[in-house]
Amino acid sequence: MNQMHLELCSSAEWADTVSRFIIPWVLEDLDLGDNVLEVGPGPGRTTEVLVAMVPRLTAVDLDEDLVRALRSRLAGPTFEAVHGDATDLPEEDGTFSAVLSFTMLHHLPSPAAQDTVFSEAARVLRPGGVFAGTDSLDRPEFRELHVDDVCVPIDPSTLGDRLARAGLERVQVITNEFGVRFRGWLPAG
Ligand SMILES: C[S@@+](CC[C@H](N)C(=O)[O-])C[C@H]1O[C@@H](n2cnc3c(N)ncnc32)[C@H](O)[C@@H]1O
């Protein structure tokens, strides 16, 4: 992330937006189960809310410094921060009851890399588990935040098919003024 983006994602304003709007929208009516993975927690404004909501949370991020900071800030028996790549997750098949992704998919360098994240999410889910998340819509202000940074926005019109190709079923994709919300379940078996 560039410095401006990092500062925004760490800010009290973003924490407020995450806790009041983004997390309630993404988790609306979802049962996350007992073992949840978050990919791309960044500075952890989403993570600090999730850790209080679920019995066990693992957060995987590519940025080693951010992972180290999360480890010391949110240390506890129900939380683990892992340095890893969401396109090649270190976790075993069928580990998690839910996989969550908040405002991170556009940081993957290509749609193909995003599709690999979807496949990896499906691989580490238990049968019946849910992959859910959100990302921002492609708007000029959003692009401005990503000068000299990776920015591959998600196209909501193709996202449902892409999630289904990763092996998820009952896929739902909706948008609001700011973002796209998605969810899909691994078949129960
Ligand atoms: C914009 S931040 C998201 C912050 C947080 N989820 C939120 O909503 O506040 C995007 C994060 O995704 C991480 N990321 C990018 N590519 C990744 C990958 N392949 N695997 C894991 N994390 C990745 C970046 O390091 C960054 O911390």
Side-chain angles (χ1 to χ4, degrees):
M1 277 186 287
N2 67 32
Q3 192 57 30
M4 183 171 58
H5 198 13
L6 183 60
E7 283 170 15
L8 176 75
C9 285
S10 311
S11 68
E13 289 80 1
W14 184 244
D16 187 56
T17 301
V18 159
S19 63
R20 290 176 59 204
F21 301 111
I22 295 181
I23 287 190
W25 190 46
V26 172
L27 302 190
E28 186 180 29
D29 298 329
L30 278 188
D31 178 359
L32 297 179
D34 63 353
N35 192 15
V36 176
L37 172 68
E38 181 189 15
V39 291
R45 290 316 206 176
T46 43
T47 320
E48 65 200 19
V49 179
L50 294 171
V51 78
M53 293 177 71
V54 299
R56 172 150 195 85
L57 179 65
T58 303
V60 173
D61 202 286
L62 204 52
D63 186 318
E64 200 163 7
D65 292 338
L66 291 177
V67 169
R68 212 175 292 119
L70 265 184
R71 247 181 227 141
S72 56
R73 192 158 67 82
L74 298 180
T78 67
F79 177 68
E80 187 181 11
V82 175
H83 178 226
D85 185 341
T87 67
D88 185 18
L89 287 167
E91 284 79 14
E92 293 187 3
D93 297 4
T95 301
F96 296 101
S97 50
V99 177
L100 302 174
S101 156
F102 294 91
T103 320
M104 71 80 74
L105 291 169
H106 64 277
H107 281 280
L108 276 294
S110 65
Q114 294 164 348
D115 287 341
T116 307
V117 173
F118 303 158
S119 299
E120 278 294 273
R123 181 184 68 74
V124 300
L125 276 175
R126 295 177 195 156
V130 65
F131 176 43
T134 185
D135 208 348
S136 301
L137 293 179
D138 189 5
R139 300 186 309 163
E141 315 87 82
F142 183 60
R143 293 273 179 175
E144 281 162 21
L145 260 181
H146 294 86
V147 175
D148 296 329
D149 202 349
V150 175
C151 186
V152 181
I154 295 288
D155 177 355
S157 71
T158 58
L159 181 58
D161 286 345
R162 294 171 69 191
L163 292 169
R165 274 200 299 276
L168 300 167
E169 65 176 14
R170 292 187 285 136
V171 169
Q172 301 168 17
V173 176
I174 63 171
T175 57
N176 66 16
E177 191 185 343
F178 304 103
V180 53
R181 178 186 96 172
F182 61 88
R183 45 185 62 178
W185 283 260
L186 196 68

mmCIF file of all heavy atoms in Angstrom, residues 1 5 9 14 18 38-43 45-46 60-63 66 84-87 102-104 106-108, ligand 1:
data_model
loop_
_atom_site.group_PDB
_atom_site.id
_atom_site.type_symbol
_atom_site.label_atom_id
_atom_site.label_comp_id
_atom_site.label_asym_id
_atom_site.label_seq_id
_atom_site.Cartn_x
_atom_site.Cartn_y
_atom_site.Cartn_z
ATOM 1 N N MET A 1 0.838 -1.193 0.000
ATOM 2 C CA MET A 1 0.000 0.000 0.000
ATOM 3 C C MET A 1 0.876 1.247 0.000
ATOM 4 O O MET A 1 1.909 1.257 0.676
ATOM 5 C CB MET A 1 -0.856 0.029 1.271
ATOM 6 C CG MET A 1 -2.116 -0.794 1.195
ATOM 7 S SD MET A 1 -3.136 -0.576 2.661
ATOM 8 C CE MET A 1 -2.215 -1.479 3.881
ATOM 9 N N HIS A 5 -2.661 5.501 1.494
ATOM 10 C CA HIS A 5 -3.613 4.414 1.664
ATOM 11 C C HIS A 5 -3.427 3.746 3.029
ATOM 12 O O HIS A 5 -4.402 3.425 3.733
ATOM 13 C CB HIS A 5 -3.396 3.410 0.522
ATOM 14 C CG HIS A 5 -4.525 2.483 0.298
ATOM 15 N ND1 HIS A 5 -5.774 2.642 0.846
ATOM 16 C CD2 HIS A 5 -4.599 1.344 -0.430
ATOM 17 C CE1 HIS A 5 -6.554 1.649 0.468
ATOM 18 N NE2 HIS A 5 -5.866 0.846 -0.299
ATOM 19 N N CYS A 9 -6.218 3.476 5.974
ATOM 20 C CA CYS A 9 -6.656 2.170 6.502
ATOM 21 C C CYS A 9 -6.347 1.995 7.983
ATOM 22 O O CYS A 9 -6.858 1.080 8.613
ATOM 23 C CB CYS A 9 -5.987 1.032 5.729
ATOM 24 S SG CYS A 9 -6.676 0.794 4.118
ATOM 25 N N TRP A 14 -11.588 5.361 9.460
ATOM 26 C CA TRP A 14 -11.805 4.067 8.802
ATOM 27 C C TRP A 14 -12.324 3.038 9.816
ATOM 28 O O TRP A 14 -13.220 2.239 9.512
ATOM 29 C CB TRP A 14 -10.511 3.580 8.130
ATOM 30 C CG TRP A 14 -10.696 2.303 7.363
ATOM 31 C CD1 TRP A 14 -10.109 1.105 7.619
ATOM 32 C CD2 TRP A 14 -11.528 2.092 6.206
ATOM 33 N NE1 TRP A 14 -10.529 0.159 6.711
ATOM 34 C CE2 TRP A 14 -11.400 0.738 5.835
ATOM 35 C CE3 TRP A 14 -12.379 2.921 5.468
ATOM 36 C CZ2 TRP A 14 -12.080 0.184 4.742
ATOM 37 C CZ3 TRP A 14 -13.058 2.361 4.381
ATOM 38 C CH2 TRP A 14 -12.905 1.022 4.034
ATOM 39 N N VAL A 18 -15.673 0.984 9.278
ATOM 40 C CA VAL A 18 -15.635 -0.480 9.305
ATOM 41 C C VAL A 18 -16.642 -1.021 10.321
ATOM 42 O O VAL A 18 -17.422 -1.930 10.021
ATOM 43 C CB VAL A 18 -14.195 -0.947 9.656
ATOM 44 C CG1 VAL A 18 -14.176 -2.357 10.201
ATOM 45 C CG2 VAL A 18 -13.294 -0.825 8.435
ATOM 46 N N GLU A 38 -9.363 -14.418 8.147
ATOM 47 C CA GLU A 38 -9.447 -13.150 7.411
ATOM 48 C C GLU A 38 -8.208 -13.026 6.539
ATOM 49 O O GLU A 38 -7.083 -13.149 7.035
ATOM 50 C CB GLU A 38 -9.500 -11.954 8.382
ATOM 51 C CG GLU A 38 -9.614 -10.631 7.630
ATOM 52 C CD GLU A 38 -9.457 -9.399 8.509
ATOM 53 O OE1 GLU A 38 -8.987 -9.520 9.653
ATOM 54 O OE2 GLU A 38 -9.788 -8.299 8.019
ATOM 55 N N VAL A 39 -8.413 -12.777 5.244
ATOM 56 C CA VAL A 39 -7.262 -12.557 4.360
ATOM 57 C C VAL A 39 -7.101 -11.053 4.132
ATOM 58 O O VAL A 39 -8.077 -10.330 3.945
ATOM 59 C CB VAL A 39 -7.402 -13.326 3.018
ATOM 60 C CG1 VAL A 39 -7.278 -14.820 3.238
ATOM 61 C CG2 VAL A 39 -8.694 -12.994 2.285
ATOM 62 N N GLY A 40 -5.853 -10.585 4.192
ATOM 63 C CA GLY A 40 -5.562 -9.168 3.959
ATOM 64 C C GLY A 40 -6.089 -8.239 5.040
ATOM 65 O O GLY A 40 -6.758 -7.254 4.730
ATOM 66 N N PRO A 41 -5.763 -8.482 6.308
ATOM 67 C CA PRO A 41 -6.248 -7.610 7.389
ATOM 68 C C PRO A 41 -5.636 -6.217 7.380
ATOM 69 O O PRO A 41 -6.196 -5.295 7.982
ATOM 70 C CB PRO A 41 -5.839 -8.366 8.653
ATOM 71 C CG PRO A 41 -4.633 -9.160 8.237
ATOM 72 C CD PRO A 41 -4.915 -9.579 6.822
ATOM 73 N N GLY A 42 -4.467 -6.062 6.725
ATOM 74 C CA GLY A 42 -3.823 -4.739 6.711
ATOM 75 C C GLY A 42 -3.525 -4.290 8.129
ATOM 76 O O GLY A 42 -3.121 -5.086 8.977
ATOM 77 N N PRO A 43 -3.770 -3.010 8.440
ATOM 78 C CA PRO A 43 -3.505 -2.515 9.800
ATOM 79 C C PRO A 43 -4.475 -3.068 10.853
ATOM 80 O O PRO A 43 -4.289 -2.841 12.041
ATOM 81 C CB PRO A 43 -3.668 -0.994 9.665
ATOM 82 C CG PRO A 43 -3.538 -0.727 8.208
ATOM 83 C CD PRO A 43 -4.074 -1.925 7.502
ATOM 84 N N ARG A 45 -8.073 -2.802 11.212
ATOM 85 C CA ARG A 45 -9.299 -2.156 11.696
ATOM 86 C C ARG A 45 -10.505 -3.101 11.609
ATOM 87 O O ARG A 45 -11.439 -2.990 12.411
ATOM 88 C CB ARG A 45 -9.569 -0.872 10.904
ATOM 89 C CG ARG A 45 -8.587 0.241 11.198
ATOM 90 C CD ARG A 45 -8.315 0.374 12.667
ATOM 91 N NE ARG A 45 -7.903 1.710 13.045
ATOM 92 C CZ ARG A 45 -7.675 2.092 14.294
ATOM 93 N NH1 ARG A 45 -7.812 1.239 15.281
ATOM 94 N NH2 ARG A 45 -7.305 3.320 14.551
ATOM 95 N N THR A 46 -10.495 -3.995 10.616
ATOM 96 C CA THR A 46 -11.538 -5.029 10.548
ATOM 97 C C THR A 46 -11.262 -6.106 11.602
ATOM 98 O O THR A 46 -12.171 -6.545 12.307
ATOM 99 C CB THR A 46 -11.536 -5.674 9.147
ATOM 100 O OG1 THR A 46 -10.178 -5.914 8.731
ATOM 101 C CG2 THR A 46 -12.204 -4.772 8.129
ATOM 102 N N VAL A 60 -4.299 -13.536 7.773
ATOM 103 C CA VAL A 60 -3.123 -13.763 6.913
ATOM 104 C C VAL A 60 -2.885 -12.540 6.040
ATOM 105 O O VAL A 60 -3.777 -12.116 5.288
ATOM 106 C CB VAL A 60 -3.340 -14.999 6.005
ATOM 107 C CG1 VAL A 60 -2.194 -15.133 5.000
ATOM 108 C CG2 VAL A 60 -3.444 -16.272 6.834
ATOM 109 N N ASP A 61 -1.686 -11.967 6.133
ATOM 110 C CA ASP A 61 -1.353 -10.816 5.286
ATOM 111 C C ASP A 61 0.052 -10.997 4.713
ATOM 112 O O ASP A 61 0.934 -11.592 5.335
ATOM 113 C CB ASP A 61 -1.430 -9.506 6.083
ATOM 114 C CG ASP A 61 -1.620 -8.301 5.171
ATOM 115 O OD1 ASP A 61 -0.628 -7.901 4.487
ATOM 116 O OD2 ASP A 61 -2.746 -7.755 5.128
ATOM 117 N N LEU A 62 0.226 -10.414 3.520
ATOM 118 C CA LEU A 62 1.488 -10.481 2.787
ATOM 119 C C LEU A 62 2.553 -9.559 3.381
ATOM 120 O O LEU A 62 3.744 -9.768 3.172
ATOM 121 C CB LEU A 62 1.192 -10.038 1.352
ATOM 122 C CG LEU A 62 2.061 -10.458 0.195
ATOM 123 C CD1 LEU A 62 2.265 -11.961 0.160
ATOM 124 C CD2 LEU A 62 1.401 -10.000 -1.123
ATOM 125 N N ASP A 63 2.119 -8.538 4.095
ATOM 126 C CA ASP A 63 3.040 -7.519 4.605
ATOM 127 C C ASP A 63 3.529 -7.916 6.000
ATOM 128 O O ASP A 63 2.776 -7.879 6.980
ATOM 129 C CB ASP A 63 2.299 -6.171 4.645
ATOM 130 C CG ASP A 63 3.203 -5.016 5.028
ATOM 131 O OD1 ASP A 63 4.023 -5.178 5.951
ATOM 132 O OD2 ASP A 63 3.070 -3.949 4.407
ATOM 133 N N LEU A 66 3.096 -5.383 8.941
ATOM 134 C CA LEU A 66 1.716 -5.262 9.432
ATOM 135 C C LEU A 66 1.344 -6.493 10.261
ATOM 136 O O LEU A 66 0.648 -6.374 11.286
ATOM 137 C CB LEU A 66 0.746 -5.095 8.257
ATOM 138 C CG LEU A 66 0.853 -3.765 7.501
ATOM 139 C CD1 LEU A 66 -0.102 -3.740 6.303
ATOM 140 C CD2 LEU A 66 0.553 -2.580 8.409
ATOM 141 N N GLY A 84 1.638 -14.510 5.248
ATOM 142 C CA GLY A 84 1.405 -15.471 4.172
ATOM 143 C C GLY A 84 0.715 -14.806 3.004
ATOM 144 O O GLY A 84 0.392 -13.609 3.031
ATOM 145 N N ASP A 85 0.492 -15.614 1.980
ATOM 146 C CA ASP A 85 -0.053 -15.125 0.716
ATOM 147 C C ASP A 85 -1.422 -15.759 0.493
ATOM 148 O O ASP A 85 -1.538 -16.995 0.476
ATOM 149 C CB ASP A 85 0.924 -15.523 -0.403
ATOM 150 C CG ASP A 85 0.540 -14.958 -1.754
ATOM 151 O OD1 ASP A 85 -0.630 -14.558 -1.939
ATOM 152 O OD2 ASP A 85 1.415 -14.935 -2.635
ATOM 153 N N ALA A 86 -2.429 -14.939 0.302
ATOM 154 C CA ALA A 86 -3.795 -15.457 0.114
ATOM 155 C C ALA A 86 -3.937 -16.253 -1.183
ATOM 156 O O ALA A 86 -4.929 -16.962 -1.358
ATOM 157 C CB ALA A 86 -4.799 -14.299 0.135
ATOM 158 N N THR A 87 -2.952 -16.138 -2.097
ATOM 159 C CA THR A 87 -3.007 -16.970 -3.310
ATOM 160 C C THR A 87 -2.331 -18.323 -3.089
ATOM 161 O O THR A 87 -2.317 -19.159 -4.000
ATOM 162 C CB THR A 87 -2.337 -16.272 -4.521
ATOM 163 O OG1 THR A 87 -0.928 -16.156 -4.276
ATOM 164 C CG2 THR A 87 -2.939 -14.911 -4.784
ATOM 165 N N PHE A 102 -11.923 -8.227 3.373
ATOM 166 C CA PHE A 102 -12.448 -6.856 3.398
ATOM 167 C C PHE A 102 -11.498 -5.921 2.649
ATOM 168 O O PHE A 102 -10.341 -5.736 3.059
ATOM 169 C CB PHE A 102 -12.579 -6.357 4.850
ATOM 170 C CG PHE A 102 -13.600 -7.099 5.663
ATOM 171 C CD1 PHE A 102 -13.227 -8.214 6.402
ATOM 172 C CD2 PHE A 102 -14.921 -6.694 5.675
ATOM 173 C CE1 PHE A 102 -14.163 -8.900 7.159
ATOM 174 C CE2 PHE A 102 -15.861 -7.370 6.426
ATOM 175 C CZ PHE A 102 -15.484 -8.481 7.169
ATOM 176 N N THR A 103 -11.982 -5.340 1.581
ATOM 177 C CA THR A 103 -11.279 -4.259 0.876
ATOM 178 C C THR A 103 -9.823 -4.635 0.578
ATOM 179 O O THR A 103 -8.911 -3.828 0.763
ATOM 180 C CB THR A 103 -11.356 -2.940 1.711
ATOM 181 O OG1 THR A 103 -12.653 -2.835 2.287
ATOM 182 C CG2 THR A 103 -11.139 -1.723 0.830
ATOM 183 N N MET A 104 -9.615 -5.870 0.143
ATOM 184 C CA MET A 104 -8.242 -6.287 -0.185
ATOM 185 C C MET A 104 -8.088 -6.842 -1.593
ATOM 186 O O MET A 104 -6.983 -6.827 -2.150
ATOM 187 C CB MET A 104 -7.682 -7.278 0.844
ATOM 188 C CG MET A 104 -8.264 -8.667 0.855
ATOM 189 S SD MET A 104 -7.630 -9.786 -0.407
ATOM 190 C CE MET A 104 -6.017 -10.205 0.165
ATOM 191 N N HIS A 106 -8.674 -5.814 -4.519
ATOM 192 C CA HIS A 106 -8.115 -4.921 -5.546
ATOM 193 C C HIS A 106 -6.597 -4.807 -5.434
ATOM 194 O O HIS A 106 -5.953 -4.283 -6.341
ATOM 195 C CB HIS A 106 -8.761 -3.528 -5.480
ATOM 196 C CG HIS A 106 -8.483 -2.788 -4.203
ATOM 197 N ND1 HIS A 106 -9.210 -2.979 -3.058
ATOM 198 C CD2 HIS A 106 -7.526 -1.859 -3.899
ATOM 199 C CE1 HIS A 106 -8.724 -2.206 -2.098
ATOM 200 N NE2 HIS A 106 -7.714 -1.511 -2.580
ATOM 201 N N HIS A 107 -6.025 -5.290 -4.314
ATOM 202 C CA HIS A 107 -4.563 -5.263 -4.174
ATOM 203 C C HIS A 107 -3.881 -6.448 -4.845
ATOM 204 O O HIS A 107 -2.648 -6.503 -4.896
ATOM 205 C CB HIS A 107 -4.162 -5.195 -2.699
ATOM 206 C CG HIS A 107 -4.281 -3.821 -2.148
ATOM 207 N ND1 HIS A 107 -3.321 -2.856 -2.346
ATOM 208 C CD2 HIS A 107 -5.260 -3.218 -1.450
ATOM 209 C CE1 HIS A 107 -3.697 -1.728 -1.781
ATOM 210 N NE2 HIS A 107 -4.881 -1.912 -1.228
ATOM 211 N N LEU A 108 -4.674 -7.397 -5.341
ATOM 212 C CA LEU A 108 -4.078 -8.497 -6.103
ATOM 213 C C LEU A 108 -3.742 -7.976 -7.502
ATOM 214 O O LEU A 108 -4.506 -7.181 -8.067
ATOM 215 C CB LEU A 108 -5.067 -9.661 -6.186
ATOM 216 C CG LEU A 108 -5.120 -10.654 -5.017
ATOM 217 C CD1 LEU A 108 -3.795 -11.422 -4.925
ATOM 218 C CD2 LEU A 108 -5.406 -9.985 -3.690
HETATM 219 C C1 LIG B 1 -6.364 -2.101 1.840
HETATM 220 S S1 LIG B 1 -5.624 -3.274 2.892
HETATM 221 C C2 LIG B 1 -7.077 -3.986 3.641
HETATM 222 C C3 LIG B 1 -7.233 -3.579 5.039
HETATM 223 C C4 LIG B 1 -8.361 -4.210 5.842
HETATM 224 N N1 LIG B 1 -8.855 -5.456 5.320
HETATM 225 C C5 LIG B 1 -9.484 -3.219 6.016
HETATM 226 O O1 LIG B 1 -10.569 -3.438 5.450
HETATM 227 O O2 LIG B 1 -9.292 -2.238 6.723
HETATM 228 C C6 LIG B 1 -5.150 -4.579 1.819
HETATM 229 C C7 LIG B 1 -4.235 -5.594 2.505
HETATM 230 O O3 LIG B 1 -4.173 -6.752 1.670
HETATM 231 C C8 LIG B 1 -2.863 -7.267 1.803
HETATM 232 N N2 LIG B 1 -2.597 -8.172 0.674
HETATM 233 C C9 LIG B 1 -2.404 -7.844 -0.619
HETATM 234 N N3 LIG B 1 -2.159 -8.942 -1.348
HETATM 235 C C10 LIG B 1 -2.208 -9.984 -0.480
HETATM 236 C C11 LIG B 1 -2.037 -11.382 -0.613
HETATM 237 N N4 LIG B 1 -1.751 -11.946 -1.794
HETATM 238 N N5 LIG B 1 -2.158 -12.150 0.484
HETATM 239 C C12 LIG B 1 -2.430 -11.614 1.694
HETATM 240 N N6 LIG B 1 -2.599 -10.296 1.886
HETATM 241 C C13 LIG B 1 -2.482 -9.499 0.815
HETATM 242 C C14 LIG B 1 -1.972 -6.046 1.823
HETATM 243 O O4 LIG B 1 -0.709 -6.352 2.376
HETATM 244 C C15 LIG B 1 -2.807 -5.102 2.687
HETATM 245 O O5 LIG B 1 -2.424 -5.216 4.034
#
